[in-house]
Amino acid sequence: MVLLVEDNSSRNPMRSVDKSGLSFEFSLGFLNEHVRVRASCNGLLFCSSIKIDRAYYVCNPMTREFKSLPVIEERRLTKIVGFAVDPYTQRYNVVLAVLADTDSSYVLRLFNCLLFDSETNAWKKLVFDSFGTGGGLVYTADQNQVVSVGRSLYCLSVSSKILVFDLYNEARRKITPPAEIAKSSISRVYLLELEGSLSVINILGEWMNIWVLKDCLREEWELADRVNVGSISEFLRETAFPVTLNRDFIFLRTFRDVWVFRRKGRKWNKVHKATCRFAAFPFRSTLCSC
């Protein structure tokens, strides 16, 4: 499913939409706070207060359970980088980048960051090496550029590498994307989680290629699917990006619509048309506790 938030504000109703276009409407009114949804992972949402500086929440919209995170002591501006939830242990982590004066709203430095661990209920400051020119920068202009797979976060770097943030060992490294993507300078590239594996998706013209990371240490990739997006109008196609996928379906968001591709039938269908600006997140219902 996908989670749709109009104007990305908790004062507006949220809607989960499944592959058939059936929707369920709910709100985050139980928070008693005006918040903005920042990330979604395994059924939990990470939110930030609109009125209170440096106030963050993790909630389960299905059980209406929520937790207020400790207020961070860092006085400089921060921005969400990643949110990871382990559905088996119900442990979760939040990573915030500490912004420098030179950082923009589109590119962040991941040299200095804050890590929240639900087991310790505390923030920890981490400082990393820069990985060389461009290695420590991540794009955040588009959604789904930082994804959680297992106990690691993956994000795209300016240098066309994929940064891996190992939450268990609090370490970073980088891997090379598929050669076809690394050589292309005009395709649009996105990261998603595909049933426990990292998936890299590149859209070039009327084609969307889906790659799956088979071996992280050896940096081995497999082309899992090649999907034609030609049935979507060229204008909408230029604004489209994938929200979530599995073995059977792909959810794609355009400027105003949500489309579903049935991988067996090889057909696109529009399952939602928005009347105003909205944000889209991968979503699944869960009883996972905060």
Side-chain angles (χ1 to χ4, degrees):
M1 292 190 295
V2 293
L3 177 68
L4 308 179
V5 188
E6 293 185 355
D7 290 330
N8 200 8
S9 170
S10 61
R11 288 186 173 177
N12 295 314
M14 300 182 180
R15 186 182 302 275
S16 61
V17 180
D18 67 11
K19 60 183 181 293
S20 301
L22 298 176
S23 64
F24 172 75
E25 189 173 287
F26 57 92
S27 74
L28 298 182
F30 59 89
L31 286 174
N32 296 317
E33 168 68 290
H34 191 192
V35 300
R36 192 175 300 279
V37 178
R38 298 296 187 183
S40 170
C41 185
N42 285 319
L44 297 187
L45 304 180
F46 174 71
C47 307
S48 64
S49 171
I50 292 178
K51 295 182 178 180
I52 305 174
D53 188 30
R54 301 190 307 280
Y56 300 104
Y57 303 87
V58 172
C59 70
N60 185 332
M62 296 294 99
T63 63
R64 300 171 63 86
E65 180 186 12
F66 71 94
K67 179 177 181 178
S68 301
L69 303 191
V71 176
I72 60 177
E73 298 179 359
E74 178 65 51
R75 302 303 301 181
R76 284 186 292 173
L77 291 176
T78 58
K79 189 163 185 176
I80 174 69
V81 172
F83 179 46
V85 179
D86 187 334
Y88 302 104
T89 64
Q90 300 191 15
R91 178 181 181 179
Y92 56 86
N93 298 94
V94 179
V95 179
L96 299 178
V98 179
L99 303 188
D101 294 337
T102 56
D103 295 328
S104 71
S105 60
Y106 298 99
V107 179
L108 298 180
R109 299 178 188 274
L110 199 51
F111 307 153
N112 299 327
C113 63
L114 298 171
L115 172 65
F116 176 82
D117 191 332
S118 62
E119 286 196 345
T120 62
N121 193 39
W123 293 94
K124 178 188 294 187
K125 188 170 184 177
L126 303 177
V127 180
F128 297 102
D129 295 330
S130 66
F131 272 162
T133 304
L137 300 177
V138 296
Y139 283 114
T140 59
D142 293 314
Q143 297 184 48
N144 306 107
Q145 294 302 278
V146 182
V147 300
S148 168
V149 180
R151 288 283 293 150
S152 295
L153 292 173
Y154 296 81
C155 53
L156 292 171
S157 74
V158 170
S159 58
S160 300
K161 298 288 185 178
I162 298 174
L163 300 185
V164 185
F165 186 5
D166 185 337
L167 294 166
Y168 183 81
N169 297 304
E170 297 180 1
R172 290 193 317 170
R173 72 187 200 91
K174 56 184 177 180
I175 59 178
T176 303
E180 289 81 354
I181 296 179
K183 294 176 182 178
S184 176
S185 59
I186 58 175
S187 65
R188 308 199 317 273
V189 182
Y190 303 90
L191 300 183
L192 285 179
E193 183 266 347
L194 175 56
E195 299 185 353
S197 299
L198 176 68
S199 175
V200 176
I201 299 173
N202 72 304
I203 301 177
L204 180 59
E206 295 187 354
W207 291 97
M208 178 170 65
N209 297 318
I210 302 173
W211 300 83
V212 176
L213 182 61
K214 303 300 292 184
D215 190 315
C216 185
L217 295 178
R218 297 181 180 180
E219 301 184 5
E220 294 181 354
W221 297 90
E222 178 182 81
L223 182 61
D225 205 349
R226 193 165 185 261
V227 177
N228 190 298
V229 292
S231 59
I232 302 175
S233 71
E234 183 177 356
F235 170 75
L236 294 178
R237 195 167 62 236
E238 292 300 318
T239 66
F241 63 85
V243 178
T244 186
L245 76 161
N246 58 29
R247 295 179 182 177
D248 301 316
F249 300 94
I250 302 170
F251 282 86
L252 189 75
R253 180 222 157 148
T254 65
F255 182 67
R256 291 293 191 192
D257 308 317
V258 176
W259 295 72
V260 168
F261 180 76
R262 289 167 170 78
R263 297 176 69 178
K264 291 183 179 179
R266 316 304 293 178
K267 184 178 180 181
W268 287 99
N269 293 105
K270 186 190 300 184
V271 293
H272 180 77
K273 183 174 182 59
T275 57
C276 62
R277 181 180 177 184
F278 72 101
F281 302 90
F283 185 71
R284 65 188 65 170
S285 60
T286 180
L287 298 178
C288 183
S289 174
C290 297

